Amino acid sequence: MASSLISGLINNQHAACDITVTDPDQQKLDQLHQLYAVNTDIDNLNAIKTADVIVLAVKPQILKQVCELLKDSICKSRPLIISIAAGIRSTDIDRWLGNNNAIVRCMPNTPALIQAGATGLFANKNALAEQKTTADQILSSAGLTLWVDNEEQLDAVTAVSGSGPAYFFLFLEAMQKTGKQLGLDEATAGLLAKQTALGAARMALESDDDTATLRAKVTSKGGTTAAAIASFENNHFSDIINQALTAARDRAIELADELGKN
Ligand SMILES: NC(=O)c1ccc[n+]([C@@H]2O[C@H](COP(=O)([O-])OP(=O)(O)OC[C@H]3O[C@@H](n4cnc5c(N)ncnc54)[C@H](OP(=O)(O)O)[C@@H]3O)[C@@H](O)[C@H]2O)c1
């Protein structure tokens, strides 16, 4: 995730000399330096000494330990903290960092890897307007950014876009499999499904029509699409989606409770 942000920032003409990357693995740091000419430092405390923005991009399970290491330094310099760790609430990060920090918590998704991500962002009450702008600039290097007003909404963002790429992959797998059963070779079925997803997503994003209208426009009465849509509806497609996204939202809440309890 961090590499995607770095790559996006550099591609957007951000100065490499303003970015310092840390990681326990010197080889990874050397690779990132070679690729993007960013500064690197294996020592977290050294790396953040003069930072006005710190992006926390470690696994959620070790975030507390990382925060506790940085706490004293951060309490003195008060940088903007951006966390992309899934499921860790800003109140927990703030507590681990000694309280009263400006924190922007983000929920990106994997298409960030190709700068086609969608990220939900939430700023705590200590984050200033210009710090929110900075966070937006950093995350928009990975794709679309959308702000939410309260932190619980990030659990819904997790359910829609955070976990969302996997839903579409599942849909594509099923379309490819059925395309093959219906007589296409696997590669052709897969490519047709993927290109159709891309075309439909682009139409949905670029058209003035909402998705229900777009769907109606390609669904002639008595036609092939109408037969497929009727089959989806008879199998309660909307309920299936509703249950799946609600399960993802509920799991996000459970994980935040578990990870933030210490
Ligand atoms: N991938 C996604 O789709 C996605 C979506 C939304 C949010 N996120 C969040 O993004 C964060 C990063 O995810 P990821 O998939 O990029 O994980 P990742 O590939 O494991 O990247 C984390 C990096 O941090 C390094 N690291 C470990 N301990 C460190 C320390 N003390 N100081 C500095 N760096 C340290 C890791 O090194 P080692 O490998 O040597 O441990 C690794 O290179 C996670 O919190 C995740 O929840 C990911």
mmCIF file of all heavy atoms in Angstrom, residues 1-4 22-25 28 41-42 44 56-63 65-66 69 83-88 106-111 113 162-163 165, ligand 1:
data_model
loop_
_atom_site.group_PDB
_atom_site.id
_atom_site.type_symbol
_atom_site.label_atom_id
_atom_site.label_comp_id
_atom_site.label_asym_id
_atom_site.label_seq_id
_atom_site.Cartn_x
_atom_site.Cartn_y
_atom_site.Cartn_z
ATOM 1 N N MET A 1 0.831 -1.196 0.000
ATOM 2 C CA MET A 1 0.000 0.000 0.000
ATOM 3 C C MET A 1 0.874 1.257 0.000
ATOM 4 O O MET A 1 0.630 2.191 -0.754
ATOM 5 C CB MET A 1 -0.880 0.036 1.248
ATOM 6 C CG MET A 1 -2.318 -0.272 1.067
ATOM 7 S SD MET A 1 -3.166 0.496 -0.258
ATOM 8 C CE MET A 1 -4.356 -0.741 -0.592
ATOM 9 N N ALA A 2 1.893 1.230 0.881
ATOM 10 C CA ALA A 2 2.776 2.399 0.967
ATOM 11 C C ALA A 2 3.486 2.621 -0.369
ATOM 12 O O ALA A 2 3.605 3.759 -0.832
ATOM 13 C CB ALA A 2 3.788 2.204 2.093
ATOM 14 N N SER A 3 3.912 1.513 -1.009
ATOM 15 C CA SER A 3 4.590 1.663 -2.310
ATOM 16 C C SER A 3 3.668 2.308 -3.330
ATOM 17 O O SER A 3 4.111 3.116 -4.159
ATOM 18 C CB SER A 3 5.028 0.309 -2.872
ATOM 19 O OG SER A 3 5.742 -0.384 -1.922
ATOM 20 N N SER A 4 2.364 1.962 -3.282
ATOM 21 C CA SER A 4 1.418 2.556 -4.237
ATOM 22 C C SER A 4 1.320 4.061 -4.007
ATOM 23 O O SER A 4 1.258 4.833 -4.965
ATOM 24 C CB SER A 4 0.007 2.014 -4.085
ATOM 25 O OG SER A 4 0.014 0.700 -3.742
ATOM 26 N N THR A 22 10.393 4.339 5.705
ATOM 27 C CA THR A 22 11.039 3.440 6.662
ATOM 28 C C THR A 22 10.455 2.034 6.537
ATOM 29 O O THR A 22 9.286 1.878 6.155
ATOM 30 C CB THR A 22 10.886 3.895 8.134
ATOM 31 O OG1 THR A 22 9.694 3.319 8.657
ATOM 32 C CG2 THR A 22 10.848 5.379 8.262
ATOM 33 N N ASP A 23 11.263 1.054 6.833
ATOM 34 C CA ASP A 23 10.858 -0.362 6.780
ATOM 35 C C ASP A 23 11.961 -1.145 7.492
ATOM 36 O O ASP A 23 13.118 -0.730 7.453
ATOM 37 C CB ASP A 23 10.730 -0.812 5.305
ATOM 38 C CG ASP A 23 10.006 -2.139 5.174
ATOM 39 O OD1 ASP A 23 10.657 -3.200 5.377
ATOM 40 O OD2 ASP A 23 8.799 -2.140 4.868
ATOM 41 N N PRO A 24 11.632 -2.268 8.142
ATOM 42 C CA PRO A 24 12.705 -3.028 8.798
ATOM 43 C C PRO A 24 13.646 -3.715 7.818
ATOM 44 O O PRO A 24 14.713 -4.191 8.209
ATOM 45 C CB PRO A 24 11.949 -4.085 9.614
ATOM 46 C CG PRO A 24 10.509 -3.851 9.427
ATOM 47 C CD PRO A 24 10.301 -2.832 8.377
ATOM 48 N N ASP A 25 13.274 -3.779 6.558
ATOM 49 C CA ASP A 25 14.037 -4.538 5.567
ATOM 50 C C ASP A 25 14.847 -3.571 4.675
ATOM 51 O O ASP A 25 14.292 -2.864 3.845
ATOM 52 C CB ASP A 25 13.021 -5.350 4.732
ATOM 53 C CG ASP A 25 13.683 -6.233 3.701
ATOM 54 O OD1 ASP A 25 14.875 -6.006 3.399
ATOM 55 O OD2 ASP A 25 13.003 -7.139 3.183
ATOM 56 N N LYS A 28 14.340 -3.798 0.896
ATOM 57 C CA LYS A 28 13.131 -3.125 0.396
ATOM 58 C C LYS A 28 13.371 -1.621 0.270
ATOM 59 O O LYS A 28 12.951 -0.986 -0.694
ATOM 60 C CB LYS A 28 11.962 -3.369 1.364
ATOM 61 C CG LYS A 28 11.026 -4.475 0.948
ATOM 62 C CD LYS A 28 9.755 -4.414 1.798
ATOM 63 C CE LYS A 28 9.442 -5.765 2.393
ATOM 64 N NZ LYS A 28 8.421 -5.748 3.432
ATOM 65 N N ASP A 41 15.214 5.329 5.592
ATOM 66 C CA ASP A 41 15.850 5.216 6.908
ATOM 67 C C ASP A 41 15.274 3.999 7.605
ATOM 68 O O ASP A 41 14.058 3.885 7.733
ATOM 69 C CB ASP A 41 15.569 6.483 7.725
ATOM 70 C CG ASP A 41 16.551 6.630 8.868
ATOM 71 O OD1 ASP A 41 16.939 5.604 9.457
ATOM 72 O OD2 ASP A 41 16.925 7.776 9.163
ATOM 73 N N ILE A 42 16.138 3.108 8.046
ATOM 74 C CA ILE A 42 15.655 1.885 8.690
ATOM 75 C C ILE A 42 15.194 2.171 10.124
ATOM 76 O O ILE A 42 14.459 1.383 10.723
ATOM 77 C CB ILE A 42 16.756 0.790 8.632
ATOM 78 C CG1 ILE A 42 16.129 -0.592 8.738
ATOM 79 C CG2 ILE A 42 17.814 1.018 9.693
ATOM 80 C CD1 ILE A 42 16.995 -1.698 8.182
ATOM 81 N N ASN A 44 12.916 4.150 12.536
ATOM 82 C CA ASN A 44 11.669 4.928 12.517
ATOM 83 C C ASN A 44 11.812 6.282 13.199
ATOM 84 O O ASN A 44 11.322 7.299 12.697
ATOM 85 C CB ASN A 44 10.548 4.143 13.206
ATOM 86 C CG ASN A 44 9.972 3.067 12.304
ATOM 87 O OD1 ASN A 44 10.110 3.123 11.088
ATOM 88 N ND2 ASN A 44 9.330 2.080 12.899
ATOM 89 N N LEU A 56 1.156 6.167 8.562
ATOM 90 C CA LEU A 56 1.305 4.863 9.226
ATOM 91 C C LEU A 56 0.718 3.802 8.300
ATOM 92 O O LEU A 56 -0.490 3.792 8.051
ATOM 93 C CB LEU A 56 0.576 4.879 10.569
ATOM 94 C CG LEU A 56 1.079 5.912 11.588
ATOM 95 C CD1 LEU A 56 0.132 6.005 12.779
ATOM 96 C CD2 LEU A 56 2.495 5.581 12.048
ATOM 97 N N ALA A 57 1.583 2.944 7.771
ATOM 98 C CA ALA A 57 1.128 1.960 6.774
ATOM 99 C C ALA A 57 1.574 0.555 7.134
ATOM 100 O O ALA A 57 1.788 -0.281 6.255
ATOM 101 C CB ALA A 57 1.654 2.351 5.384
ATOM 102 N N VAL A 58 1.744 0.302 8.434
ATOM 103 C CA VAL A 58 2.092 -1.060 8.877
ATOM 104 C C VAL A 58 0.816 -1.875 9.062
ATOM 105 O O VAL A 58 -0.288 -1.330 9.065
ATOM 106 C CB VAL A 58 2.897 -1.052 10.198
ATOM 107 C CG1 VAL A 58 4.248 -0.386 10.001
ATOM 108 C CG2 VAL A 58 2.108 -0.376 11.320
ATOM 109 N N LYS A 59 0.962 -3.174 9.235
ATOM 110 C CA LYS A 59 -0.199 -4.039 9.490
ATOM 111 C C LYS A 59 -0.905 -3.598 10.779
ATOM 112 O O LYS A 59 -0.234 -3.204 11.740
ATOM 113 C CB LYS A 59 0.260 -5.500 9.662
ATOM 114 C CG LYS A 59 0.758 -6.128 8.364
ATOM 115 C CD LYS A 59 -0.389 -6.600 7.512
ATOM 116 C CE LYS A 59 0.088 -7.421 6.334
ATOM 117 N NZ LYS A 59 -0.728 -7.196 5.133
ATOM 118 N N PRO A 60 -2.229 -3.685 10.813
ATOM 119 C CA PRO A 60 -2.971 -3.234 11.998
ATOM 120 C C PRO A 60 -2.474 -3.870 13.297
ATOM 121 O O PRO A 60 -2.416 -3.215 14.334
ATOM 122 C CB PRO A 60 -4.408 -3.679 11.702
ATOM 123 C CG PRO A 60 -4.480 -3.826 10.223
ATOM 124 C CD PRO A 60 -3.111 -4.187 9.757
ATOM 125 N N GLN A 61 -2.071 -5.133 13.238
ATOM 126 C CA GLN A 61 -1.684 -5.872 14.457
ATOM 127 C C GLN A 61 -0.450 -5.272 15.132
ATOM 128 O O GLN A 61 -0.238 -5.503 16.323
ATOM 129 C CB GLN A 61 -1.399 -7.351 14.130
ATOM 130 C CG GLN A 61 -2.610 -8.168 13.740
ATOM 131 C CD GLN A 61 -3.098 -7.898 12.312
ATOM 132 O OE1 GLN A 61 -2.485 -7.127 11.574
ATOM 133 N NE2 GLN A 61 -4.202 -8.511 11.924
ATOM 134 N N ILE A 62 0.399 -4.549 14.363
ATOM 135 C CA ILE A 62 1.610 -4.003 15.014
ATOM 136 C C ILE A 62 1.559 -2.483 15.164
ATOM 137 O O ILE A 62 2.526 -1.865 15.597
ATOM 138 C CB ILE A 62 2.899 -4.436 14.281
ATOM 139 C CG1 ILE A 62 2.947 -3.900 12.857
ATOM 140 C CG2 ILE A 62 3.099 -5.924 14.300
ATOM 141 C CD1 ILE A 62 4.381 -3.839 12.327
ATOM 142 N N LEU A 63 0.412 -1.897 14.814
ATOM 143 C CA LEU A 63 0.332 -0.431 14.848
ATOM 144 C C LEU A 63 0.542 0.130 16.259
ATOM 145 O O LEU A 63 1.241 1.129 16.435
ATOM 146 C CB LEU A 63 -1.011 0.047 14.266
ATOM 147 C CG LEU A 63 -1.123 1.562 14.104
ATOM 148 C CD1 LEU A 63 -0.021 2.111 13.214
ATOM 149 C CD2 LEU A 63 -2.473 1.957 13.522
ATOM 150 N N GLN A 65 2.293 -1.058 18.742
ATOM 151 C CA GLN A 65 3.709 -1.122 19.101
ATOM 152 C C GLN A 65 4.508 -0.014 18.377
ATOM 153 O O GLN A 65 5.363 0.638 18.965
ATOM 154 C CB GLN A 65 4.160 -2.539 18.718
ATOM 155 C CG GLN A 65 5.584 -2.818 18.518
ATOM 156 C CD GLN A 65 5.729 -4.140 17.698
ATOM 157 O OE1 GLN A 65 4.864 -5.019 17.700
ATOM 158 N NE2 GLN A 65 6.824 -4.259 16.993
ATOM 159 N N VAL A 66 4.171 0.228 17.112
ATOM 160 C CA VAL A 66 4.865 1.269 16.340
ATOM 161 C C VAL A 66 4.536 2.650 16.928
ATOM 162 O O VAL A 66 5.428 3.485 17.122
ATOM 163 C CB VAL A 66 4.490 1.189 14.839
ATOM 164 C CG1 VAL A 66 5.008 2.391 14.064
ATOM 165 C CG2 VAL A 66 5.016 -0.103 14.229
ATOM 166 N N LEU A 69 6.416 3.458 20.088
ATOM 167 C CA LEU A 69 7.817 3.818 19.840
ATOM 168 C C LEU A 69 7.932 5.296 19.421
ATOM 169 O O LEU A 69 8.878 5.982 19.792
ATOM 170 C CB LEU A 69 8.383 2.898 18.743
ATOM 171 C CG LEU A 69 9.793 3.223 18.289
ATOM 172 C CD1 LEU A 69 10.816 2.583 19.227
ATOM 173 C CD2 LEU A 69 10.034 2.743 16.868
ATOM 174 N N SER A 83 -3.283 7.510 9.009
ATOM 175 C CA SER A 83 -3.230 6.051 9.159
ATOM 176 C C SER A 83 -4.037 5.395 8.051
ATOM 177 O O SER A 83 -5.180 5.771 7.802
ATOM 178 C CB SER A 83 -3.808 5.635 10.510
ATOM 179 O OG SER A 83 -4.013 4.218 10.504
ATOM 180 N N ILE A 84 -3.413 4.404 7.393
ATOM 181 C CA ILE A 84 -4.174 3.619 6.412
ATOM 182 C C ILE A 84 -4.460 2.219 6.963
ATOM 183 O O ILE A 84 -4.976 1.356 6.247
ATOM 184 C CB ILE A 84 -3.461 3.527 5.034
ATOM 185 C CG1 ILE A 84 -2.139 2.759 5.132
ATOM 186 C CG2 ILE A 84 -3.247 4.889 4.426
ATOM 187 C CD1 ILE A 84 -1.606 2.336 3.765
ATOM 188 N N ALA A 85 -4.134 2.000 8.243
ATOM 189 C CA ALA A 85 -4.340 0.668 8.834
ATOM 190 C C ALA A 85 -5.830 0.357 8.927
ATOM 191 O O ALA A 85 -6.593 1.124 9.521
ATOM 192 C CB ALA A 85 -3.705 0.617 10.223
ATOM 193 N N ALA A 86 -6.218 -0.767 8.346
ATOM 194 C CA ALA A 86 -7.641 -1.128 8.331
ATOM 195 C C ALA A 86 -8.100 -1.380 9.758
ATOM 196 O O ALA A 86 -7.416 -2.045 10.546
ATOM 197 C CB ALA A 86 -7.842 -2.373 7.480
ATOM 198 N N GLY A 87 -9.260 -0.852 10.098
ATOM 199 C CA GLY A 87 -9.947 -1.216 11.340
ATOM 200 C C GLY A 87 -9.390 -0.667 12.630
ATOM 201 O O GLY A 87 -9.802 -1.110 13.695
ATOM 202 N N ILE A 88 -8.449 0.294 12.583
ATOM 203 C CA ILE A 88 -8.000 0.862 13.859
ATOM 204 C C ILE A 88 -8.538 2.291 13.967
ATOM 205 O O ILE A 88 -8.231 3.135 13.117
ATOM 206 C CB ILE A 88 -6.472 0.875 13.975
ATOM 207 C CG1 ILE A 88 -5.911 -0.500 13.646
ATOM 208 C CG2 ILE A 88 -6.069 1.370 15.362
ATOM 209 C CD1 ILE A 88 -5.274 -1.247 14.737
ATOM 210 N N CYS A 106 -7.722 6.669 7.060
ATOM 211 C CA CYS A 106 -8.146 6.411 5.679
ATOM 212 C C CYS A 106 -8.437 4.944 5.453
ATOM 213 O O CYS A 106 -7.825 4.080 6.077
ATOM 214 C CB CYS A 106 -7.037 6.758 4.689
ATOM 215 S SG CYS A 106 -6.299 8.320 4.989
ATOM 216 N N MET A 107 -9.343 4.677 4.537
ATOM 217 C CA MET A 107 -9.602 3.305 4.113
ATOM 218 C C MET A 107 -9.426 3.240 2.605
ATOM 219 O O MET A 107 -10.345 3.533 1.843
ATOM 220 C CB MET A 107 -11.035 2.916 4.526
ATOM 221 C CG MET A 107 -11.339 1.468 4.275
ATOM 222 S SD MET A 107 -10.218 0.379 5.214
ATOM 223 C CE MET A 107 -10.195 -1.037 4.156
ATOM 224 N N PRO A 108 -8.220 2.883 2.160
ATOM 225 C CA PRO A 108 -7.994 2.737 0.715
ATOM 226 C C PRO A 108 -8.410 1.351 0.227
ATOM 227 O O PRO A 108 -8.889 0.540 1.022
ATOM 228 C CB PRO A 108 -6.484 2.934 0.571
ATOM 229 C CG PRO A 108 -5.901 2.643 1.910
ATOM 230 C CD PRO A 108 -7.008 2.641 2.938
ATOM 231 N N ASN A 109 -8.263 1.072 -1.044
ATOM 232 C CA ASN A 109 -8.476 -0.302 -1.533
ATOM 233 C C ASN A 109 -7.374 -0.688 -2.520
ATOM 234 O O ASN A 109 -6.573 0.167 -2.933
ATOM 235 C CB ASN A 109 -9.898 -0.501 -2.082
ATOM 236 C CG ASN A 109 -10.192 0.332 -3.302
ATOM 237 O OD1 ASN A 109 -9.321 1.011 -3.836
ATOM 238 N ND2 ASN A 109 -11.424 0.290 -3.768
ATOM 239 N N THR A 110 -7.320 -1.967 -2.879
ATOM 240 C CA THR A 110 -6.162 -2.460 -3.640
ATOM 241 C C THR A 110 -5.981 -1.836 -5.026
ATOM 242 O O THR A 110 -4.837 -1.754 -5.468
ATOM 243 C CB THR A 110 -6.175 -4.000 -3.816
ATOM 244 O OG1 THR A 110 -7.484 -4.410 -4.120
ATOM 245 C CG2 THR A 110 -5.671 -4.691 -2.599
ATOM 246 N N PRO A 111 -7.028 -1.374 -5.732
ATOM 247 C CA PRO A 111 -6.726 -0.730 -7.014
ATOM 248 C C PRO A 111 -5.833 0.512 -6.866
ATOM 249 O O PRO A 111 -5.383 1.080 -7.873
ATOM 250 C CB PRO A 111 -8.122 -0.382 -7.563
ATOM 251 C CG PRO A 111 -9.017 -1.412 -6.957
ATOM 252 C CD PRO A 111 -8.472 -1.599 -5.566
ATOM 253 N N LEU A 113 -2.992 0.236 -6.153
ATOM 254 C CA LEU A 113 -1.754 -0.267 -6.772
ATOM 255 C C LEU A 113 -1.591 0.226 -8.192
ATOM 256 O O LEU A 113 -0.472 0.340 -8.691
ATOM 257 C CB LEU A 113 -1.752 -1.812 -6.780
ATOM 258 C CG LEU A 113 -1.697 -2.505 -5.429
ATOM 259 C CD1 LEU A 113 -1.989 -3.988 -5.563
ATOM 260 C CD2 LEU A 113 -0.331 -2.289 -4.790
ATOM 261 N N GLY A 162 -13.585 -0.847 0.396
ATOM 262 C CA GLY A 162 -12.395 -1.494 0.953
ATOM 263 C C GLY A 162 -12.346 -2.961 0.562
ATOM 264 O O GLY A 162 -11.369 -3.452 0.003
ATOM 265 N N SER A 163 -13.443 -3.660 0.821
ATOM 266 C CA SER A 163 -13.532 -5.075 0.458
ATOM 267 C C SER A 163 -14.091 -5.257 -0.953
ATOM 268 O O SER A 163 -14.068 -6.364 -1.491
ATOM 269 C CB SER A 163 -14.457 -5.809 1.441
ATOM 270 O OG SER A 163 -14.012 -5.652 2.749
ATOM 271 N N PRO A 165 -13.282 -4.635 -4.157
ATOM 272 C CA PRO A 165 -12.645 -5.269 -5.320
ATOM 273 C C PRO A 165 -12.864 -6.791 -5.339
ATOM 274 O O PRO A 165 -13.114 -7.369 -6.410
ATOM 275 C CB PRO A 165 -11.166 -4.909 -5.142
ATOM 276 C CG PRO A 165 -11.212 -3.591 -4.433
ATOM 277 C CD PRO A 165 -12.378 -3.697 -3.476
HETATM 278 N N1 LIG B 1 -3.843 -4.134 1.005
HETATM 279 C C1 LIG B 1 -5.056 -3.581 1.036
HETATM 280 O O1 LIG B 1 -5.955 -3.813 0.230
HETATM 281 C C2 LIG B 1 -5.377 -2.571 2.075
HETATM 282 C C3 LIG B 1 -6.556 -1.840 1.988
HETATM 283 C C4 LIG B 1 -6.827 -0.901 2.981
HETATM 284 C C5 LIG B 1 -5.932 -0.706 4.007
HETATM 285 N N2 LIG B 1 -4.805 -1.454 4.063
HETATM 286 C C6 LIG B 1 -3.899 -1.251 5.191
HETATM 287 O O2 LIG B 1 -2.659 -0.820 4.736
HETATM 288 C C7 LIG B 1 -1.664 -1.252 5.677
HETATM 289 C C8 LIG B 1 -0.530 -1.885 4.925
HETATM 290 O O3 LIG B 1 -1.026 -3.027 4.238
HETATM 291 P P1 LIG B 1 -0.125 -3.781 3.193
HETATM 292 O O4 LIG B 1 -0.980 -4.774 2.528
HETATM 293 O O5 LIG B 1 0.631 -2.767 2.381
HETATM 294 O O6 LIG B 1 0.893 -4.507 4.218
HETATM 295 P P2 LIG B 1 2.411 -4.953 3.989
HETATM 296 O O7 LIG B 1 2.635 -5.306 2.575
HETATM 297 O O8 LIG B 1 2.730 -5.951 5.056
HETATM 298 O O9 LIG B 1 3.225 -3.609 4.271
HETATM 299 C C9 LIG B 1 3.586 -3.199 5.543
HETATM 300 C C10 LIG B 1 5.066 -2.882 5.528
HETATM 301 O O10 LIG B 1 5.438 -2.342 6.796
HETATM 302 C C11 LIG B 1 6.658 -2.949 7.175
HETATM 303 N N3 LIG B 1 6.893 -2.868 8.611
HETATM 304 C C12 LIG B 1 6.705 -3.835 9.555
HETATM 305 N N4 LIG B 1 7.058 -3.349 10.769
HETATM 306 C C13 LIG B 1 7.452 -2.081 10.593
HETATM 307 C C14 LIG B 1 7.933 -1.087 11.466
HETATM 308 N N5 LIG B 1 8.054 -1.306 12.779
HETATM 309 N N6 LIG B 1 8.256 0.107 10.959
HETATM 310 C C15 LIG B 1 8.145 0.354 9.638
HETATM 311 N N7 LIG B 1 7.680 -0.550 8.754
HETATM 312 C C16 LIG B 1 7.347 -1.748 9.218
HETATM 313 C C17 LIG B 1 6.496 -4.362 6.699
HETATM 314 O O11 LIG B 1 7.726 -5.021 6.698
HETATM 315 P P3 LIG B 1 7.732 -6.644 6.922
HETATM 316 O O12 LIG B 1 7.046 -7.216 5.732
HETATM 317 O O13 LIG B 1 9.178 -6.955 7.008
HETATM 318 O O14 LIG B 1 6.993 -6.901 8.190
HETATM 319 C C18 LIG B 1 5.933 -4.139 5.313
HETATM 320 O O15 LIG B 1 6.944 -3.859 4.380
HETATM 321 C C19 LIG B 1 -2.348 -2.227 6.623
HETATM 322 O O16 LIG B 1 -2.565 -1.618 7.881
HETATM 323 C C20 LIG B 1 -3.659 -2.540 5.953
HETATM 324 O O17 LIG B 1 -4.683 -2.748 6.904
HETATM 325 C C21 LIG B 1 -4.486 -2.359 3.115
#
